[in-house]
Amino acid sequence: MKKYLLMLPAMLLASLSIHAQTTKFTDLIYYASLKNSDVYDNIMQSNYFRQDYSIDVNGHEVEYFKNITGKPNTEKIEVGNYTKLYNGDILRTVHYTSTDPQHIINMIAQAKRFGLDLKFQGADESNNIYIYDNSFYAVSIYLRRDQTSGMVEIKQKEYLGIE
């Protein structure tokens, strides 16, 4: 019984050092379909991120957010990049980066559960690369081979439906 009483404080101490990921893959997919102002409102309501800065890139505003909970500054979200189609439609891109490799591994698992098809899995000299795809999104996930960081890029795709 004494062993268990000694282990309890150790387990509590260990659980305090574990920090959860503050955003999910489904959140990032959702952000890819929103305007910057709507993404800003959603992120600010979560109380997990704050706006780091915004810059003007080729006439449109790109906004950067960083986490403020858990281990601050380990997760960043970038929104505002887009491609404008000939018919005026906008295809948005969301970038998520993390300095915690477990967050990227979690994103890989969440992308599988989301139902995306794995189109490519490979590596270059610095990254393990996972490319997922469906009719609406192209997702590229890069996990540094030295396990120091990673990035998720979600791009909306042009969907050609039958009218």
Side-chain angles (χ1 to χ4, degrees):
M1 182 69 173
K2 290 181 182 181
K3 283 192 234 178
Y4 295 115
L5 289 175
L6 291 174
M7 288 184 62
L8 183 62
M11 289 177 14
L12 287 173
L13 185 60
S15 68
L16 290 175
S17 65
I18 297 172
H19 301 287
Q21 184 173 341
T22 55
T23 192
K24 297 179 282 195
F25 184 78
T26 53
D27 295 337
L28 298 176
I29 289 283
Y30 179 61
Y31 297 155
S33 64
L34 298 176
K35 294 185 282 187
N36 282 13
S37 59
D38 296 330
V39 172
Y40 178 86
D41 292 341
N42 276 285
I43 288 178
M44 291 299 113
Q45 286 177 352
S46 73
N47 293 323
Y48 295 124
F49 286 85
R50 72 172 171 84
Q51 186 176 26
D52 193 17
Y53 60 94
S54 63
I55 58 173
D56 186 87
V57 177
N58 298 327
H60 60 277
E61 187 173 14
V62 177
E63 297 184 60
Y64 296 85
F65 301 90
K66 63 181 176 180
N67 73 312
I68 54 176
T69 59
K71 291 188 212 175
N73 302 323
T74 58
E75 297 176 86
K76 296 182 181 182
I77 298 174
E78 174 191 325
V79 296
N81 286 318
Y82 63 83
T83 302
K84 193 167 190 173
L85 301 177
Y86 64 92
N87 63 359
D89 288 344
I90 293 176
L91 302 176
R92 301 182 195 293
T93 301
V94 173
H95 289 97
Y96 167 85
T97 57
S98 178
T99 57
D100 186 339
Q102 186 60 48
H103 293 171
I104 303 303
I105 293 167
N106 293 344
M107 288 289 181
I108 292 168
Q110 292 172 30
K112 290 177 189 175
R113 284 194 304 269
F114 189 75
L116 296 172
D117 297 325
L118 180 64
K119 296 295 184 180
F120 175 80
Q121 180 177 349
D124 62 15
E125 66 182 45
S126 58
N127 295 305
N128 291 317
I129 303 167
Y130 304 86
I131 298 178
Y132 292 91
D133 191 62
N134 71 8
S135 298
F136 300 104
Y137 302 100
V139 178
S140 302
I141 302 176
Y142 303 92
L143 177 61
R144 299 280 304 172
R145 292 180 75 178
D146 61 5
Q147 298 289 309
T148 57
S149 65
M151 182 189 77
V152 177
E153 177 184 67
I154 300 173
K155 290 184 175 185
Q156 280 185 313
K157 291 171 60 176
E158 184 174 10
Y159 182 72
L160 300 174
I162 300 173
E163 295 183 30

